[in-house]
Amino acid sequence: MGVDSRPLAIVLMGPTAAGKTDLAIAARDALDGEIISVDSAMVYRGMDIGSAKPSPEELARAPHRLIDIRDPVEPYSAAEFRDDALAQMHEIAAQGRVPLLVGGTMMYFKRLMEGVANLPSASPDVRAALEQDVERHGLKGLHERLARVDPESAARIHPNDPQRLLRALEVYEVSGKSLSQLWREQRPETFPFRTLSIGLAPANRSVLHERIAKRFGAMLDAGFLEEVASLRARGDLSPTLPSMKSVGYRQAWAYLDGEFDREQLRFRSVVATRQLAKRQLTWMRSWPRLNWVDPLVGDPAERIWKLVRKSGT
Protein backbone atom coordinates (compact mmCIF):
# COMPACT_ATOMS: atom_id res chain seq x y z
CA MET A 1 0.00 0.00 0.00
CA GLY A 2 1.16 3.53 -0.73
CA VAL A 3 1.72 6.30 1.76
CA ASP A 4 -1.51 7.91 2.97
CA SER A 5 -1.18 11.46 1.72
CA ARG A 6 -4.40 12.73 3.27
CA PRO A 7 -3.95 15.51 5.85
CA LEU A 8 -4.14 14.51 9.51
CA ALA A 9 -7.11 15.28 11.76
CA ILE A 10 -7.16 14.43 15.45
CA VAL A 11 -10.38 13.29 17.11
CA LEU A 12 -10.56 13.91 20.85
CA MET A 13 -13.81 12.43 22.17
CA GLY A 14 -15.01 11.74 25.66
CA PRO A 15 -17.97 11.71 28.01
CA THR A 16 -19.24 14.85 29.66
CA ALA A 17 -17.07 16.17 32.53
CA ALA A 18 -14.02 14.14 31.42
CA GLY A 19 -11.80 17.21 31.08
CA LYS A 20 -11.72 17.52 27.28
CA THR A 21 -11.45 21.32 27.11
CA ASP A 22 -8.21 21.64 29.10
CA LEU A 23 -6.49 18.90 27.12
CA ALA A 24 -7.79 20.23 23.81
CA ILE A 25 -6.31 23.65 24.53
CA ALA A 26 -2.97 22.07 25.48
CA ALA A 27 -3.05 19.94 22.33
CA ARG A 28 -3.81 22.96 20.17
CA ASP A 29 -0.78 24.79 21.50
CA ALA A 30 1.56 21.80 21.13
CA LEU A 31 0.42 20.64 17.70
CA ASP A 32 -0.18 23.97 16.01
CA GLY A 33 -3.78 22.92 15.62
CA GLU A 34 -7.20 24.53 15.48
CA ILE A 35 -10.10 23.29 17.59
CA ILE A 36 -13.47 22.39 16.07
CA SER A 37 -16.17 21.85 18.67
CA VAL A 38 -18.23 18.66 18.31
CA ASP A 39 -21.03 19.52 20.71
CA SER A 40 -24.74 19.79 19.94
CA ALA A 41 -25.40 22.29 22.77
CA MET A 42 -22.40 24.57 22.30
CA VAL A 43 -23.53 25.44 18.77
CA TYR A 44 -26.25 27.61 20.34
CA ARG A 45 -25.73 31.21 21.41
CA GLY A 46 -26.74 32.04 24.97
CA MET A 47 -26.35 28.44 26.15
CA ASP A 48 -23.04 28.91 27.93
CA ILE A 49 -23.13 27.71 31.52
CA GLY A 50 -25.28 24.62 31.01
CA SER A 51 -23.27 23.42 28.03
CA ALA A 52 -19.95 23.89 29.88
CA LYS A 53 -18.85 26.14 27.02
CA PRO A 54 -15.22 27.27 27.33
CA SER A 55 -14.89 30.56 29.15
CA PRO A 56 -14.24 33.83 27.27
CA GLU A 57 -10.66 33.67 28.54
CA GLU A 58 -10.21 30.12 27.21
CA LEU A 59 -11.77 31.05 23.87
CA ALA A 60 -9.50 34.09 23.60
CA ARG A 61 -6.48 31.83 24.08
CA ALA A 62 -7.77 28.95 21.96
CA PRO A 63 -10.71 29.78 19.65
CA HIS A 64 -13.19 26.94 19.10
CA ARG A 65 -14.89 26.74 15.72
CA LEU A 66 -18.59 25.80 15.48
CA ILE A 67 -19.45 27.39 18.82
CA ASP A 68 -22.19 30.04 18.95
CA ILE A 69 -23.23 29.53 15.32
CA ARG A 70 -26.99 29.16 15.83
CA ASP A 71 -29.80 30.81 17.76
CA PRO A 72 -31.50 28.32 20.12
CA VAL A 73 -34.76 28.64 18.18
CA GLU A 74 -33.10 27.16 15.06
CA PRO A 75 -32.56 23.37 14.99
CA TYR A 76 -29.13 22.16 13.88
CA SER A 77 -28.72 18.69 12.41
CA ALA A 78 -25.86 16.21 12.26
CA ALA A 79 -25.90 16.58 8.47
CA GLU A 80 -25.40 20.35 8.80
CA PHE A 81 -22.61 19.74 11.27
CA ARG A 82 -20.85 17.46 8.79
CA ASP A 83 -20.93 20.10 6.06
CA ASP A 84 -19.74 22.81 8.43
CA ALA A 85 -17.03 20.69 10.04
CA LEU A 86 -15.59 19.51 6.72
CA ALA A 87 -15.43 23.09 5.45
CA GLN A 88 -13.58 24.12 8.61
CA MET A 89 -11.23 21.13 8.42
CA HIS A 90 -10.26 21.89 4.82
CA GLU A 91 -9.65 25.54 5.71
CA ILE A 92 -7.43 24.61 8.67
CA ALA A 93 -5.47 22.05 6.66
CA ALA A 94 -4.96 24.56 3.84
CA GLN A 95 -3.25 26.80 6.41
CA GLY A 96 -0.86 23.99 7.25
CA ARG A 97 -2.45 23.36 10.64
CA VAL A 98 -4.06 20.30 12.23
CA PRO A 99 -7.86 20.11 12.70
CA LEU A 100 -8.56 19.03 16.28
CA LEU A 101 -12.15 17.79 16.66
CA VAL A 102 -13.15 17.90 20.31
CA GLY A 103 -16.43 17.00 21.97
CA GLY A 104 -18.91 14.44 23.17
CA THR A 105 -21.75 14.46 20.63
CA MET A 106 -21.10 10.99 19.26
CA MET A 107 -23.72 11.21 16.51
CA TYR A 108 -21.86 14.21 15.09
CA PHE A 109 -18.61 12.23 15.05
CA LYS A 110 -20.33 9.26 13.42
CA ARG A 111 -22.02 11.30 10.70
CA LEU A 112 -18.81 13.21 10.02
CA MET A 113 -16.84 10.04 9.38
CA GLU A 114 -19.50 7.87 7.74
CA GLY A 115 -21.42 10.44 5.73
CA VAL A 116 -25.13 11.07 5.68
CA ALA A 117 -27.62 8.75 4.05
CA ASN A 118 -30.04 10.14 1.48
CA LEU A 119 -32.82 10.52 4.01
CA PRO A 120 -36.10 12.32 3.36
CA SER A 121 -36.67 15.73 4.88
CA ALA A 122 -38.74 16.06 8.03
CA SER A 123 -42.51 16.06 7.54
CA PRO A 124 -44.42 18.14 10.12
CA ASP A 125 -47.67 16.30 9.31
CA VAL A 126 -46.15 12.83 9.72
CA ARG A 127 -44.30 13.89 12.87
CA ALA A 128 -47.50 15.34 14.38
CA ALA A 129 -49.38 12.09 13.68
CA LEU A 130 -46.57 10.05 15.26
CA GLU A 131 -46.54 12.25 18.34
CA GLN A 132 -50.28 11.67 18.70
CA ASP A 133 -49.57 7.95 18.51
CA VAL A 134 -47.09 8.37 21.36
CA GLU A 135 -49.83 9.92 23.48
CA ARG A 136 -52.24 7.09 22.65
CA HIS A 137 -49.91 4.07 22.73
CA GLY A 138 -46.75 5.26 24.49
CA LEU A 139 -43.18 4.93 23.31
CA LYS A 140 -43.31 1.15 23.83
CA GLY A 141 -46.07 0.90 21.25
CA LEU A 142 -44.09 2.92 18.72
CA HIS A 143 -40.99 0.84 19.34
CA GLU A 144 -42.99 -2.33 18.66
CA ARG A 145 -44.25 -0.73 15.44
CA LEU A 146 -40.70 0.12 14.40
CA ALA A 147 -39.63 -3.46 15.13
CA ARG A 148 -42.19 -4.66 12.58
CA VAL A 149 -41.07 -2.35 9.74
CA ASP A 150 -37.38 -1.90 10.58
CA PRO A 151 -36.09 -4.51 13.03
CA GLU A 152 -32.46 -3.42 12.57
CA SER A 153 -33.17 0.13 13.69
CA ALA A 154 -35.41 -1.12 16.50
CA ALA A 155 -32.52 -3.21 17.82
CA ARG A 156 -30.27 -0.12 17.91
CA ILE A 157 -32.78 2.42 19.26
CA HIS A 158 -33.78 2.27 22.90
CA PRO A 159 -37.56 2.24 23.51
CA ASN A 160 -37.16 5.36 25.67
CA ASP A 161 -35.33 7.40 23.02
CA PRO A 162 -38.22 9.40 21.51
CA GLN A 163 -36.15 11.55 19.15
CA ARG A 164 -34.48 8.68 17.28
CA LEU A 165 -37.58 6.49 17.48
CA LEU A 166 -39.82 9.15 15.91
CA ARG A 167 -37.26 9.94 13.22
CA ALA A 168 -36.90 6.27 12.19
CA LEU A 169 -40.67 5.90 11.85
CA GLU A 170 -40.93 9.25 10.08
CA VAL A 171 -38.36 8.12 7.49
CA TYR A 172 -40.35 4.95 6.85
CA GLU A 173 -43.68 6.76 6.58
CA VAL A 174 -42.32 9.43 4.20
CA SER A 175 -40.10 7.27 1.97
CA GLY A 176 -41.63 3.83 2.17
CA LYS A 177 -38.15 2.51 2.97
CA SER A 178 -36.65 1.69 6.33
CA LEU A 179 -33.82 3.73 7.79
CA SER A 180 -31.63 0.62 7.67
CA GLN A 181 -32.34 0.10 3.96
CA LEU A 182 -31.53 3.71 3.13
CA TRP A 183 -28.21 3.40 4.96
CA ARG A 184 -27.38 0.20 3.05
CA GLU A 185 -28.04 2.04 -0.21
CA GLN A 186 -25.62 4.79 0.80
CA ARG A 187 -22.47 4.61 -1.30
CA PRO A 188 -19.37 4.66 0.93
CA GLU A 189 -16.93 7.46 0.37
CA THR A 190 -13.31 7.90 1.38
CA PHE A 191 -13.01 10.34 4.25
CA PRO A 192 -10.73 13.17 3.05
CA PHE A 193 -8.58 13.09 6.21
CA ARG A 194 -6.60 10.38 7.96
CA THR A 195 -7.62 10.41 11.60
CA LEU A 196 -6.06 9.67 14.95
CA SER A 197 -8.89 8.97 17.40
CA ILE A 198 -8.29 9.48 21.12
CA GLY A 199 -10.86 8.65 23.78
CA LEU A 200 -10.66 10.56 27.06
CA ALA A 201 -12.36 8.77 29.93
CA PRO A 202 -11.55 8.10 33.59
CA ALA A 203 -11.03 4.39 34.16
CA ASN A 204 -13.00 4.67 37.40
CA ARG A 205 -16.66 5.34 36.59
CA SER A 206 -17.41 6.54 40.13
CA VAL A 207 -14.82 9.29 39.71
CA LEU A 208 -16.64 10.48 36.59
CA HIS A 209 -19.92 10.45 38.50
CA GLU A 210 -18.37 12.60 41.24
CA ARG A 211 -17.07 15.07 38.65
CA ILE A 212 -20.52 15.28 37.04
CA ALA A 213 -22.20 16.07 40.37
CA LYS A 214 -19.54 18.62 41.31
CA ARG A 215 -19.74 20.31 37.93
CA PHE A 216 -23.53 20.65 38.05
CA GLY A 217 -23.24 22.27 41.47
CA ALA A 218 -20.70 24.69 40.02
CA MET A 219 -23.08 25.47 37.15
CA LEU A 220 -25.84 26.36 39.61
CA ASP A 221 -23.43 28.59 41.53
CA ALA A 222 -22.40 30.26 38.26
CA GLY A 223 -25.98 31.26 37.42
CA PHE A 224 -27.29 28.40 35.31
CA LEU A 225 -30.91 28.91 36.41
CA GLU A 226 -30.66 32.59 35.57
CA GLU A 227 -29.35 31.63 32.13
CA VAL A 228 -32.32 29.34 31.48
CA ALA A 229 -34.77 31.93 32.88
CA SER A 230 -33.37 34.47 30.44
CA LEU A 231 -33.84 32.06 27.54
CA ARG A 232 -37.43 31.34 28.63
CA ALA A 233 -38.16 35.06 28.91
CA ARG A 234 -37.51 35.51 25.18
CA GLY A 235 -40.92 34.00 24.49
CA ASP A 236 -39.97 32.18 21.28
CA LEU A 237 -38.39 29.07 22.83
CA SER A 238 -40.11 25.96 24.13
CA PRO A 239 -39.00 22.72 25.82
CA THR A 240 -39.76 20.80 22.60
CA LEU A 241 -36.93 22.49 20.67
CA PRO A 242 -33.71 20.44 20.26
CA SER A 243 -31.71 23.15 22.02
CA MET A 244 -33.92 23.08 25.10
CA LYS A 245 -33.93 19.28 25.17
CA SER A 246 -30.22 19.35 26.01
CA VAL A 247 -29.38 17.66 29.31
CA GLY A 248 -29.65 20.16 32.15
CA TYR A 249 -31.66 22.69 30.17
CA ARG A 250 -34.62 20.32 29.97
CA GLN A 251 -34.58 19.77 33.74
CA ALA A 252 -34.04 23.47 34.52
CA TRP A 253 -36.99 24.45 32.32
CA ALA A 254 -39.24 21.98 34.14
CA TYR A 255 -38.01 23.30 37.50
CA LEU A 256 -38.83 26.86 36.46
CA ASP A 257 -42.27 25.58 35.43
CA GLY A 258 -42.72 24.45 39.04
CA GLU A 259 -42.74 20.72 38.28
CA PHE A 260 -40.33 19.90 41.12
CA ASP A 261 -38.15 21.54 43.77
CA ARG A 262 -34.48 22.53 43.68
CA GLU A 263 -33.32 19.30 45.31
CA GLN A 264 -35.11 17.32 42.61
CA LEU A 265 -33.61 19.60 39.96
CA ARG A 266 -30.13 18.72 41.14
CA PHE A 267 -30.92 15.01 41.44
CA ARG A 268 -32.63 14.71 38.05
CA SER A 269 -29.96 16.72 36.25
CA VAL A 270 -27.09 14.70 37.70
CA VAL A 271 -28.84 11.41 36.90
CA ALA A 272 -29.58 12.53 33.34
CA THR A 273 -25.97 13.63 32.88
CA ARG A 274 -24.70 10.28 34.18
CA GLN A 275 -26.99 8.51 31.72
CA LEU A 276 -25.63 10.70 28.93
CA ALA A 277 -22.06 9.80 29.94
CA LYS A 278 -22.97 6.11 29.91
CA ARG A 279 -24.34 6.41 26.36
CA GLN A 280 -21.24 8.31 25.27
CA LEU A 281 -18.97 5.60 26.65
CA THR A 282 -21.02 2.91 24.90
CA TRP A 283 -20.51 4.73 21.59
CA MET A 284 -16.80 5.08 22.30
CA ARG A 285 -16.34 1.38 23.00
CA SER A 286 -17.54 0.61 19.48
CA TRP A 287 -15.42 3.34 17.83
CA PRO A 288 -12.79 1.81 15.50
CA ARG A 289 -9.12 2.13 16.50
CA LEU A 290 -9.80 4.36 19.49
CA ASN A 291 -6.77 5.08 21.69
CA TRP A 292 -7.90 5.37 25.31
CA VAL A 293 -6.35 7.94 27.65
CA ASP A 294 -7.34 8.45 31.29
CA PRO A 295 -7.29 12.24 31.75
CA LEU A 296 -6.99 11.93 35.54
CA VAL A 297 -3.89 9.72 35.72
CA GLY A 298 -0.30 10.86 35.27
CA ASP A 299 0.36 13.26 32.39
CA PRO A 300 -2.42 12.73 29.84
CA ALA A 301 -1.03 15.45 27.56
CA GLU A 302 2.26 13.58 27.27
CA ARG A 303 0.43 10.35 26.39
CA ILE A 304 -1.47 12.21 23.67
CA TRP A 305 1.80 13.58 22.24
CA LYS A 306 3.22 10.04 22.15
CA LEU A 307 0.16 8.82 20.23
CA VAL A 308 0.50 11.68 17.76
CA ARG A 309 4.22 11.00 17.23
CA LYS A 310 3.51 7.30 16.83
CA SER A 311 0.93 8.07 14.16
CA GLY A 312 3.70 9.44 11.95
CA THR A 313 3.21 13.19 12.25
Side-chain angles (χ1 to χ4, degrees), residues 209 212 268 270-280:
H209 288 176
I212 287 170
R268 291 176 184 227
V270 169
V271 168
T273 308
R274 287 178 178 178
Q275 291 171 339
L276 170 61
K278 182 179 179 181
R279 293 194 298 272
Q280 290 168 317

Side-chain angles (χ1 to χ4, degrees), residues 9-152:
I10 295 175
V11 168
L12 199 60
M13 61 170 61
T16 184
K20 297 183 291 295
T21 296
D22 290 344
L23 277 172
I25 291 174
R28 175 191 185 273
D29 294 342
L31 299 172
D32 192 24
E34 286 290 337
I35 297 172
I36 299 173
S37 171
V38 186
D39 189 290
S40 61
M42 290 187 192
V43 298
Y44 295 112
R45 292 184 290 273
M47 293 174 57
D48 303 331
I49 299 171
S51 70
K53 197 173 289 179
S55 68
E57 294 76 18
E58 288 171 325
L59 291 173
R61 175 185 164 192
H64 286 48
R65 302 185 184 212
L66 302 189
I67 280 181
D68 292 335
I69 60 171
R70 283 291 171 95
D71 186 272
V73 80
E74 305 173 66
Y76 185 71
S77 70
E80 290 173 296
F81 168 80
R82 184 176 199 264
D83 290 342
D84 291 342
L86 281 173
Q88 297 290 342
M89 292 171 75
H90 284 299
E91 180 180 309
I92 293 166
Q95 297 169 355
R97 312 191 78 183
V98 178
L100 184 58
L101 295 128
V102 181
T105 300
M106 302 304 166
M107 182 60 74
Y108 281 12
F109 279 121
K110 184 177 176 65
R111 290 291 168 263
L112 174 64
M113 303 298 179
E114 295 184 0
V116 181
N118 185 25
L119 303 181
S121 300
S123 167
D125 292 341
V126 170
R127 179 58 65 98
L130 289 170
E131 288 175 346
Q132 288 179 355
D133 287 344
V134 171
E135 294 178 7
R136 286 196 294 266
H137 307 296
L139 289 174
K140 185 174 184 291
L142 256 69
H143 192 267
E144 291 171 351
R145 179 172 158 192
L146 180 62
R148 291 192 293 271
V149 300
D150 185 359
E152 291 179 51

